[in-house]
Amino acid sequence: MASAKQLALPLVKPGDEPVAGKRENSHSVQPSPWMARVLSRDNLNRALKQVRRNKGAPGIDGMNVDGLPDYLRQHWPEIRQQLLQQTYRPKPVRRVTIPKANGGSRPLGIPTVVDLDLEAFFDRVNHDRLMTRLKRHTPDRPLLRLINRYLKAGVQIDHHKEPTLEGVPQGGPLSPVLASVVLDELDWELERRNLHFARYADDCQIHVGSCRAGERVMVSLTRFIEDSLRLTVNTRKSAVDRPWKRSFLGFTLSRKGQRLKVASKAITKLKTQIRILSRRTRGHSLARVIADLKETLLGWKAYFDEAEELSPLRDLDKWIRRRMRSYVWKQWGRRGYRELRKRGVSVRLAWNTAKSAHGPWRLSHSPALRHALPARLFRSYGLPELAVR
């Protein structure tokens, strides 16, 4: 892991000496105001730290985050000059498909909700319309030219480069910004109609007073999106429904009292992550497994901290503790009886548990393991509790 000092990018500032072996350009190119902000030292350092925080993967050049500072110490002046002279050419994006829970993949007091899903949104963005909208907000031609080159840099699939005629590259900080530029037009249309809505990137929900009104809104907005924005509404995933039957950014509402709660899909996804991190074949100590889980659980808890319905989170805490007991029981193996006795379980109960034909998961809910491995033990190891506020 690179230190905080290593994370600082070696950017050239006015007055810095040129790199040895590099010819200094006698005609220094002055950046436009927008490009100056893009290339500022603070901005690029923030971008690098965010990529590290998001555990960004290498592109087609194989460059990882740890190797980037050393690379930039040698090559940044040349790259910066190319950017200023508008000769820089981005490399194609390495395409990685991300599996979805439904089996598909993508190229990471309100009575009724109109839940809109845009089909393959990031792959369908029209470049010409996007650049036209950017020109209305950004007069900086060098910056616009650079964005256009990123859009048309292509994708690397295996060993073949394919052109990108539409869509925006996913995985970087630019794609959600460009998505907001494209869908800004949709926001203004919803405002013009005086509709109450919430949108984040390509996820959008509109709140209406009745199912009939919702159906009308769905039909008219589908026409607007497909005719004006040249995007496609996914009719299989879009719906007009009650809010407790839909989710938005991992949240939903409870049927009684319409309290904010974590959607079941978000809980299922977390359980999948926990299963991977606590595989019984990993062979790590309980302390190591909990340390690995802690980062994931604390991040998840911080995101869903606004949830008001806590009963699903209490059930999830119980499930995680069962997962830990199952892990420990598997590790004990033939020592199970002795380990239970050391932890105060009676002879009879320890014997019956150790000789049981049931598997680790079934036994993780047994009185013997709950006594030997109580909740306070996992708290002492630092296991976060998601329902605790």
Side-chain angles (χ1 to χ4, degrees):
M1 294 291 287
S3 66
K5 186 176 180 180
Q6 287 175 313
L7 279 176
L9 292 179
L11 305 183
V12 175
K13 295 182 291 185
D16 285 352
E17 293 181 3
V19 175
K22 300 288 184 182
R23 181 184 299 174
E24 188 175 8
N25 193 335
S26 59
H27 301 287
S28 178
V29 180
Q30 293 300 316
S32 59
W34 285 79
M35 281 297 289
R37 293 171 62 183
V38 170
L39 298 177
S40 70
R41 188 184 188 91
D42 290 342
N43 183 54
L44 295 180
N45 274 323
R46 283 198 304 270
L48 178 59
K49 290 177 181 178
Q50 185 165 335
V51 170
R52 177 178 291 283
R53 196 162 50 241
N54 294 340
K55 300 179 180 178
I60 65 171
D61 57 1
M63 176 69 67
N64 58 33
V65 181
D66 292 328
L68 189 58
D70 288 338
Y71 177 85
L72 289 176
R73 286 188 184 93
Q74 299 180 24
H75 300 284
W76 172 246
E78 181 182 352
I79 295 172
R80 185 175 186 273
Q81 197 67 14
Q82 290 175 358
L83 288 166
L84 293 176
Q85 293 177 342
Q86 303 175 41
T87 59
Y88 178 77
R89 298 288 178 180
K91 289 184 172 65
V93 177
R94 181 165 64 98
R95 173 158 290 176
V96 178
T97 58
I98 302 172
K100 288 187 174 181
N102 62 5
S105 64
R106 60 178 170 89
L108 254 166
I110 304 297
T112 305
V113 168
V114 179
D115 194 351
L116 276 175
D117 183 88
L118 301 180
E119 188 170 357
F121 168 72
F122 288 97
D123 295 332
R124 300 280 177 85
V125 171
N126 184 279
H127 289 174
D128 293 336
R129 295 196 79 261
L130 172 58
M131 294 307 300
T132 299
R133 294 212 40 99
L134 281 172
K135 288 175 184 175
R136 296 177 187 173
H137 300 284
T138 309
D140 195 307
R141 289 187 177 182
L143 180 59
L144 291 171
R145 189 174 291 112
L146 179 62
I147 291 173
N148 192 49
R149 284 176 178 168
Y150 269 107
L151 292 175
K152 300 185 183 304
V155 293
Q156 187 90 12
I157 302 176
D158 295 328
H159 300 291
H160 303 286
K161 177 183 174 181
E162 295 187 3
T164 46
L165 304 178
E166 60 180 357
V168 295
Q170 295 190 64
L174 189 61
S175 55
V177 176
L178 297 180
S180 293
V181 172
V182 173
L183 295 177
D184 179 62
E185 205 169 339
L186 174 62
D187 296 344
W188 282 107
E189 178 66 16
L190 294 172
E191 290 276 5
R192 187 183 67 79
R193 300 185 186 192
N194 293 320
L195 292 171
H196 300 282
F197 68 95
R199 183 185 66 78
Y200 181 82
D202 59 332
D203 291 318
C204 182
Q205 286 192 349
I206 301 102
H207 310 144
V208 295
S210 67
C211 288
R212 181 177 294 181
E215 296 292 349
R216 288 197 304 268
V217 169
M218 177 67 82
V219 171
S220 62
L221 282 181
T222 298
R223 187 183 305 116
F224 172 80
I225 290 170
E226 296 186 347
D227 292 348
S228 299
L229 303 185
R230 302 182 193 176
L231 298 170
T232 303
V233 174
N234 189 332
T235 55
R236 292 179 292 103
K237 296 177 67 175
S238 300
V240 177
D241 214 333
R242 298 302 185 190
W244 50 85
K245 294 182 179 180
R246 310 299 297 181
S247 64
F248 184 69
L249 302 180
F251 286 94
T252 187
L253 294 176
S254 63
R255 183 162 189 165
K256 292 184 178 180
Q258 296 187 9
R259 292 161 58 85
L260 196 64
K261 63 182 288 189
V262 181
S264 58
K265 285 184 179 180
I267 292 177
T268 300
K269 185 176 179 181
L270 177 64
K271 284 185 174 181
T272 300
Q273 291 179 274
I274 292 172
R275 287 189 182 99
I276 293 172
L277 292 172
S278 62
R279 290 191 306 270
R280 292 193 293 270
T281 56
R282 292 186 71 192
H284 296 315
S285 66
L286 177 63
R288 168 70 182 277
V289 172
I290 289 179
D292 291 344
L293 285 174
K294 190 173 181 179
E295 182 180 355
T296 297
L297 294 177
L298 287 177
W300 196 91
K301 182 177 180 179
Y303 180 81
F304 288 105
D305 191 56
E306 297 298 321
E308 301 169 310
E309 193 79 14
L310 299 182
S311 56
L313 302 184
R314 294 191 190 99
D315 292 341
L316 186 54
D317 282 331
K318 294 176 184 176
W319 182 89
I320 294 171
R321 289 194 290 270
R322 282 194 65 182
R323 185 76 186 175
M324 295 299 96
R325 293 187 186 110
S326 176
Y327 184 89
V328 173
W329 181 252
K330 182 69 174 179
Q331 279 199 329
W332 283 349
R334 294 182 179 180
R335 307 191 327 270
Y337 173 78
R338 295 193 301 273
E339 296 291 345
L340 290 175
R341 290 290 293 129
K342 283 195 300 186
R343 289 161 175 77
V345 180
S346 67
V347 173
R348 180 184 179 87
L349 187 56
W351 180 259
N352 288 339
T353 304
K355 296 302 179 181
S356 172
H358 294 306
W361 178 250
R362 178 76 175 269
L363 290 176
S364 66
H365 196 51
S366 66
L369 281 178
R370 280 186 287 153
H371 178 86
L373 303 170
R376 65 177 179 273
L377 172 69
F378 301 117
R379 282 196 292 269
S380 71
Y381 277 97
L383 182 68
E385 292 180 284
L386 303 176
V388 174
R389 292 291 186 267

